[in-house]
Amino acid sequence: MGTLIFALILVGLAVLALFSSVTIVRQGYEYTLERLGKYTTTLQPGFSLIIPFVDRVGQRMNMMEQVLPIPTQEIITRDNALVSVDGVVFFQVLDAAKAAYEVSSLTTAVTALTQTNLRTVMGSLDLDESLSKRDEINARLLTVIDHATAPWGIKVTRVEVKDIQPPRDIQDAMARQMKAEREKRAVTLEAEGQRASAILRAEGEKQAQILEAEGRREAAFRDAEARERAAEAEAAATSMVSEAIAKGDLQAVNYFIAQKYVDALGQFAGSPNAKTIFMPLEASNIIGSVGGIAELMKTVNEEAQAAPKRRQTALKAGE
């Protein structure tokens, strides 16, 4: 009976030892193995055997990228403005042994380190710079924190400032400033629009005056040209009449006088106040003048027809 109990105890111890020697590591984790309290190796994901009652699992390290929120803290900027700032840190464990044994509490250490450097970076900037240069703040924090945590076997992949809250009075002042800037911009744009409109209107008036002046100049040029041609025609007619008078042609004289007489009668008849026109007895001479004009035109036609015959006679005589 005693032998059977002893055998059962041995079997139970063997089963317990067997189960104690089997360790299964989940994917995304690594376990540190301690032998008699001293770190020996790191167990990778999967099935592993250890020495029961001698080896034990030390730290179960999460090897996936983790998100660590940074609590809100009040920071004084370089221009003595008090702001409330919070953030978030993304990091990943690269060396499980260092992360387990180089620092006592990894998340607490990263949080404290981030808060300290956040105060340093924000304290070196003015309030306006703190609100407008978040990318620069994130980059500086990432560089400093990643360098400081390298001995801990982790890699800081990203640091982000989530929210920056100035005091209420500063927010009100900023709102008034923004409103004033927008009103100033609106007034400036309106003034620029009025200025552009005035310039365009002046340019249009100037162009209209130029075109009007050019039109007047062209009209004056045309009128002068017409008067010049009329004068040339009048001079030519006078010259022809003078030549006819010099040759003793009385019909040309009658034509000239009759033309002037007819023009004068036309002016009398065209007067708006003239209802009745009294003609002098000498007006009957107009008929004679008209006859002289007819005779003159007949003589001119005869001369024009006889000119080719005279040229042909002259050519035959020359031959």
Side-chain angles (χ1 to χ4, degrees):
M1 186 67 181
T3 305
L4 181 59
I5 294 175
F6 181 73
L8 292 175
I9 293 174
L10 290 178
V11 171
L13 290 176
V15 173
L16 180 61
L18 180 62
F19 278 101
S20 299
S21 63
V22 175
T23 302
I24 298 176
V25 181
R26 291 185 300 166
Q27 184 66 39
Y29 287 81
E30 290 185 2
Y31 297 171
T32 60
L33 185 63
E34 299 176 358
R35 179 167 295 171
L36 299 178
K38 181 180 180 181
Y39 169 76
T40 57
T41 187
T42 301
L43 301 179
Q44 301 298 322
F47 177 82
S48 299
L49 290 176
I50 62 175
I51 301 174
F53 310 111
V54 177
D55 296 336
R56 72 179 186 90
V57 175
Q59 300 288 335
R60 293 172 172 82
M61 303 304 302
N62 186 349
M63 306 302 291
M64 296 178 288
E65 187 171 1
Q66 304 178 54
V67 181
L68 181 63
I70 304 301
T72 303
Q73 59 178 333
E74 293 184 345
I75 300 175
I76 300 177
T77 61
R78 187 171 60 184
D79 53 352
N80 296 324
L82 185 64
V83 295
S84 299
V85 184
D86 61 355
V88 61
V89 177
F90 296 82
F91 71 95
Q92 184 177 12
V93 177
L94 301 180
D95 191 330
K98 290 183 178 180
Y101 301 109
E102 294 294 335
V103 61
S104 176
S105 177
L106 181 61
T107 56
T108 303
V110 173
T111 301
L113 183 63
T114 304
Q115 286 182 319
T116 302
N117 286 277
L118 184 59
R119 284 195 295 269
T120 302
V121 174
M122 295 287 292
S124 63
L125 301 175
D126 295 336
L127 177 60
D128 293 339
E129 294 176 340
S130 301
L131 297 174
S132 61
K133 295 183 178 181
R134 291 201 178 192
D135 292 339
E136 180 180 344
I137 296 173
N138 296 336
R140 291 174 61 180
L141 286 174
L142 177 61
T143 301
V144 174
I145 297 173
D146 184 52
H147 178 73
T149 57
W152 300 344
I154 66 173
K155 172 66 177 177
V156 178
T157 58
R158 194 177 185 88
V159 179
E160 293 286 345
V161 175
K162 291 175 57 178
D163 194 15
I164 301 176
Q165 288 290 339
R168 187 62 187 177
D169 55 346
I170 296 180
Q171 293 183 21
D172 295 338
M174 292 172 62
R176 291 194 300 270
Q177 180 183 2
M178 181 177 63
K179 181 179 179 181
E181 288 290 337
R182 292 184 180 276
E183 292 178 351
K184 175 184 176 182
R185 191 181 306 170
V187 172
T188 302
L189 292 176
E190 183 178 1
E192 290 180 353
Q194 293 177 356
R195 175 175 173 270
S197 176
I199 291 175
L200 292 176
R201 190 182 300 110
E203 288 289 339
E205 294 176 355
K206 175 183 176 182
Q207 191 67 22
Q209 292 176 0
I210 292 174
L211 294 176
E212 184 179 358
E214 290 181 353
R216 290 197 302 269
R217 184 183 67 176
E218 185 68 19
F221 176 76
R222 298 294 183 185
D223 291 342
E225 185 178 5
R227 289 195 300 271
E228 182 181 358
R229 291 184 179 179
E232 291 177 354
E234 185 69 21
T238 304
S239 177
M240 292 176 62
V241 172
S242 298
E243 290 178 359
I245 293 172
K247 293 179 181 180
D249 192 351
L250 296 178
Q251 292 180 352
V253 177
N254 292 332
Y255 168 74
F256 185 75
I257 294 173
Q259 182 182 9
K260 296 297 183 180
Y261 199 83
V262 170
D263 292 341
L265 288 178
Q267 292 179 0
F268 278 118
S271 175
N273 297 324
K275 303 300 181 180
T276 304
I277 301 176
F278 295 95
M279 301 294 294
L281 294 175
E282 290 78 4
S284 60
N285 294 331
I286 297 176
I287 300 174
S289 300
V290 173
I293 295 172
E295 291 296 330
L296 179 61
M297 296 301 296
K298 181 179 180 181
T299 303
V300 172
N301 291 331
E302 291 177 354
E303 288 294 331
Q305 293 176 359
K309 296 180 179 179
R310 288 197 296 271
R311 286 197 294 269
Q312 291 178 0
T313 304
L315 289 175
K316 291 179 179 179
E319 293 177 354

